[in-house]
Amino acid sequence: MKYIILILLAIAFVPAIRSFLFNLLVGNQIAKQQKRYNDFMEKERGKEGEIKVKTPNSNSKNKGSDGGQYVDYEEVK
C-alpha cells in the first residue's frame, strides 16, 4: 500500500513523469487524429494549382428556387 501511494505522489508532483505518461496514453491518439485530419484535408484540397468547382445538382436547384420566404410586416408610424 505504501508503494502505491509513493507512486501516485511521484506521478502527481514530478512533471517529467506526468508529461511522459500523458504522451504515452493520450499523445498517440492525438497524433492519429491529426494525421487523419491532414490526410482528409489533402484529399479535399487536391494537388497544388488544381482547381475544383463544385456544382449543385439540378434536382436541388428546382427545390430551392421558391423565390425566398414571405415575411409579414407592420408599418410603424
Side-chain angles (χ1 to χ4, degrees), residues 1-71:
M1 183 71 176
K2 185 168 59 170
Y3 295 112
I4 294 173
I5 293 173
L6 288 175
I7 291 172
L8 289 175
L9 287 173
I11 289 172
F13 293 110
V14 180
I17 295 172
R18 191 172 51 219
S19 66
F20 173 74
L21 289 177
F22 179 79
N23 286 335
L24 186 67
L25 298 174
V26 179
N28 292 334
Q29 293 296 326
I30 292 173
K32 286 179 187 177
Q33 289 295 331
Q34 284 177 339
K35 184 175 182 331
R36 271 192 218 147
Y37 176 75
N38 289 337
D39 291 344
F40 173 75
M41 291 308 290
E42 282 181 18
K43 182 180 171 186
E44 282 293 311
R45 280 191 226 131
K47 295 180 182 176
E48 187 173 335
E50 184 178 317
I51 298 174
K52 289 185 178 180
V53 178
K54 295 181 181 178
T55 57
N57 295 338
S58 61
N59 294 341
S60 65
K61 185 176 181 181
N62 293 337
K63 292 178 185 176
S65 62
D66 61 353
Q69 267 185 330
Y70 179 76
V71 179

